[in-house]
Amino acid sequence: MDAIAAINWQDRADRLQFRTQAFIDGAYVSAASGKSFDNISPRDGKVLTQVAECDAEDVNRAVAAARRTFESGVWRDQHPRARKAVLLKLARLMEEHADELALLETLDMGKPIRDSRSIDIPLSIRCVQYYAEAIDKLYDQVGPSGPDAMSLILREPLGVIGVVVPWNFPLMMAVWKVAPALATGNSVVLKPAEQSPLTAIRLGELAVEAGVPPGVLNVVPGFGETAGQAIGRHMDVDMLAFTGSTEVGKYFMRYSGESNLKRVSLECGGKTPHIIMPDAADLDKAAANAAGGIFFNQGEVCNAGSRLLVHESIKDEFLEKVIHHSRRWTPGDPLDPATTMGAMVDAKQHERVLSYIDKGKAEGASLRLGGAAARTDTGGYYIEPTLFDGVDSSMTIAREEIFGPVLSTLTFKTTEEAFKIANDTIYGLASAIWTRDISTAMKAARTIKAGSVWINCFDAGDITTPFGGFKQSGFGRDKSLHALEKYTDLKSVWIDLS
Ligand code: NAP
Ligand code: MG
């Protein structure tokens, strides 16, 4: 039995204590209004706990704490080696609490405990480690200004960073932004999604325990329209880093324009084309990836391979293989280490995905697999892995982001047609192609308008590689050293030596 299977997660869940307040200025506090909201576990539809419902007043307090700590230099002016040690300690504390963080994530948003414990939490830790290690390896520049002058090109932290994140990878999406923002010396106000606030709330406490000065990282759980909007419109927030839907991303552009012109970076939705050429070296491996690419994390993945583009000559054979590999993906209890697919995050998302399935049928796509709610007796929000054939680019299920386990199959005759379909979307987050032909592969890399192009693999990469979108998938990159750019600004210093 492996380490994850050896743990009785239900027993751990029964004994778990939740942190449920806001974390402002280094302490847990209730919302100023005294209000809280129900945090429902999608696993069974039952109330897990009540969480502080922060609004504009709490955001004001959090931003004030962030501003005060930024201006005092208590964090940004520490020696890079000291800040590195603190963030490395935070990573160690996350490691020590990895079981607890994984359990919080699974109970809160319904993903399988095996995924939380072996993917979400370890990758979040690695992200914090990576940016910690970067702190004392960053250099500024000296310009080629000739003998009579010296120019320094300095990078400075921006100040107060607002971070607003979604519920699909709650801790990971948060640290993709919080870690580089802190590494560059900023102070942060983080708003987790209302569906999944628990790991973010815990992160605030662990950061202070690691030595991040109180007030440098603040966490304000609450709703988008109130707490999220208050951060977006705040006159004293310098930059807003957002991950979520394209629709809400556009709100943040508006908030910025109507307030203080804060910088905005957006990681938004996607409709990833997954192209299968007839010369792919291993169609079976491609089919396993086509299934995993849409059913992993219940399909609640921004870069989910939701549009399967298969050459018409191999379509039937290939779909048989995809259906075969789909058997590995069955909704089950998220707390069971054997489960590969958990629950949709909430009742609304469950409804939404089912309504897209209905739309697919109504618009004439042919249902090959799944198509219904599952495990309805549990009270939780499960959906069967679902596969449509006979989809064309004009259908709603080929155009809109479903954010659930629904795969749409389209066919093409020529490579050019495949690329044309791939680009026939408002999104441009990711793409993939399976082929043995190097020139087809490289043409795909050049032609497809997306932030990531995977060749003979799917959803590959690590913390060293930037991630983000083209078109309405947003702009700005998370991960890699490039992520540091958006939390800093350039300052030019010209020194006259004549
Ligand atoms: P969402 O509805 O856009 O919410 C994202 C965050 O914005 C949440 O914290 C939300 O608060 C907040 N928000 C909602 N309405 C707001 C408003 N009017 N003003 C200010 N803030 C507001 O997205 P979601 O449903 O949580 O997540 C799914 C989306 O995220 C998908 O579109 C997916 O593609 C995208 N995503 C993208 C990436 C990427 O890296 N590109 C990664 C993961 C997910 P509430 O808690 O109130 O909703
Ligand atoms: Mg929840």
Side-chain angles (χ1 to χ4, degrees):
M1 203 189 291
D2 65 68
I4 297 173
I7 293 174
N8 183 337
W9 293 97
Q10 179 65 64
D11 180 57
R12 293 259 183 119
D14 293 341
R15 290 184 287 123
L16 195 60
Q17 304 273 322
F18 300 110
R19 289 291 198 185
T20 58
Q21 290 170 293
F23 192 76
I24 298 175
D25 216 356
Y28 282 112
V29 288
S30 298
S33 67
K35 285 202 262 182
S36 58
F37 63 92
D38 284 344
N39 181 345
I40 293 167
S41 180
R43 182 181 168 230
D44 53 13
K46 292 198 181 117
V47 176
L48 203 55
T49 182
Q50 256 96 29
V51 172
E53 187 188 321
C54 295
D55 60 25
E57 199 176 331
D58 308 283
V59 168
N60 285 341
R61 285 160 54 191
V63 172
R67 174 58 59 195
R68 197 196 68 240
T69 50
F70 181 74
E71 299 304 336
S72 76
V74 64
W75 175 243
R76 68 181 287 198
D77 291 343
Q78 283 188 33
H79 195 282
R81 270 198 308 276
R83 283 191 289 118
K84 170 174 126 174
V86 167
L87 290 192
L88 284 177
K89 181 157 182 208
L90 173 58
R92 272 201 308 282
L93 288 174
M94 291 166 73
E95 185 92 59
E96 276 167 34
H97 294 279
D99 286 346
E100 177 200 342
L101 291 169
L103 194 51
L104 289 174
E105 212 76 305
T106 283
L107 291 171
D108 213 357
M109 69 68 70
K111 70 171 69 203
I113 188 68
R114 180 170 295 282
D115 289 355
S116 305
R117 187 61 186 85
S118 67
I119 299 172
D120 291 64
I121 305 306
L123 293 188
S124 301
I125 294 167
R126 204 170 298 162
C127 172
V128 174
Q129 280 167 342
Y130 177 85
Y131 289 108
E133 287 290 357
I135 294 175
D136 63 355
K137 297 170 190 67
L138 297 168
Y139 291 77
D140 289 331
Q141 292 176 317
V142 178
S145 48
D148 292 338
M150 177 175 281
S151 80
L152 307 178
I153 303 160
L154 309 177
R155 275 211 174 265
E156 294 195 344
L158 291 173
V160 177
I161 311 292
V163 174
V164 177
V165 288
W167 42 259
N168 59 341
F169 296 91
L171 186 63
M172 194 155 64
M173 293 302 103
V175 298
W176 275 11
K177 301 183 193 306
V178 170
L182 292 181
T184 40
N186 296 283
S187 292
V188 174
V189 176
L190 163 66
K191 191 200 89 67
E194 69 191 72
Q195 295 91 340
S196 60
L198 298 177
T199 45
I201 293 175
R202 188 75 173 93
L203 183 70
E205 186 179 34
L206 292 178
V208 167
E209 198 182 328
V212 175
V216 170
L217 173 60
N218 306 276
V219 186
V220 285
F223 300 131
E225 275 114 66
T226 48
Q229 178 161 195
I231 298 173
R233 290 187 180 279
H234 206 290
M235 294 301 286
D236 207 23
V237 169
D238 298 291
M239 188 265 179
L240 193 288
F242 171 76
T243 298
S245 60
T246 294
E247 183 191 353
V248 175
K250 289 180 183 180
Y251 289 153
F252 278 102
M253 298 293 284
R254 190 178 321 148
Y255 299 158
S256 167
E258 289 174 1
S259 60
N260 62 343
L261 221 57
K262 58 179 66 61
R263 290 157 177 71
V264 175
S265 88
L266 303 176
E267 298 271 10
C268 300
K271 196 75 192 170
T272 296
H274 196 166
I275 304 173
I276 315 297
M277 301 301 291
D279 70 340
D282 186 346
L283 281 179
D284 202 55
K285 188 173 166 199
N289 276 271
I294 185 70
F295 301 137
F296 167 64
N297 210 49
Q298 308 75 240
E300 295 166 328
V301 182
C302 49
N303 58 254
S306 52
R307 290 187 298 149
L308 181 62
L309 276 51
V310 192
H311 192 270
E312 61 169 11
S313 66
I314 55 163
K315 194 259 292 172
D316 289 335
E317 173 202 356
F318 191 74
L319 278 197
E320 285 310 318
K321 289 183 192 294
V322 176
I323 289 167
H324 168 78
H325 286 288
S326 297
R327 284 197 210 116
R328 177 175 182 265
W329 302 92
T330 321
D333 180 0
L335 281 188
D336 180 346
T339 293
T340 52
M341 243 177 117
M344 298 284 104
V345 74
D346 61 13
K348 196 171 139 211
Q349 183 67 7
H350 190 246
E351 263 313 297
R352 197 168 163 261
V353 174
L354 290 172
S355 80
Y356 274 113
I357 294 173
D358 287 342
K359 225 172 254 172
K361 292 187 212 160
E363 291 180 12
S366 88
L367 184 66
R368 292 287 306 274
L369 187 73
R375 309 187 82 234
T376 46
D377 55 317
T378 61
Y381 313 123
Y382 303 85
I383 293 183
E384 294 172 344
T386 296
L387 191 156
F388 280 106
D389 189 6
V391 177
D392 73 58
S393 261
S394 67
M395 292 181 186
T396 309
I397 56 170
R399 306 207 71 77
E400 295 182 14
E401 183 181 46
I402 299 174
F403 226 56
V406 182
L407 181 58
S408 298
T409 311
L410 301 89
T411 53
F412 62 87
K413 287 191 180 66
T414 64
T415 312
E416 288 63 39
E417 191 189 0
F419 295 166
K420 191 159 170 262
I421 299 171
N423 282 332
D424 185 13
T425 170
I426 61 165
Y427 296 111
L429 189 57
S431 60
I433 185 164
W434 295 74
T435 178
R436 244 188 317 222
D437 185 325
I438 181 84
S439 74
T440 306
M442 290 317 298
K443 262 185 211 146
R446 282 263 170 88
T447 312
I448 299 176
K449 296 191 176 84
S452 296
V453 180
W454 295 304
I455 296 171
N456 296 328
C457 57
F458 192 83
D459 200 2
D462 60 21
I463 188 68
T464 65
T465 318
F467 182 82
F470 285 24
K471 295 157 81 178
Q472 292 190 43
S473 290
F475 50 85
R477 293 291 180 268
D478 282 329
K479 307 204 299 181
S480 84
L481 296 181
H482 289 287
L484 298 166
E485 292 158 15
K486 62 182 192 256
Y487 302 106
T488 55
D489 214 343
L490 296 177
K491 181 180 275 177
S492 302
V493 179
W494 188 274
I495 308 162
D496 186 349
L497 302 178
S498 64

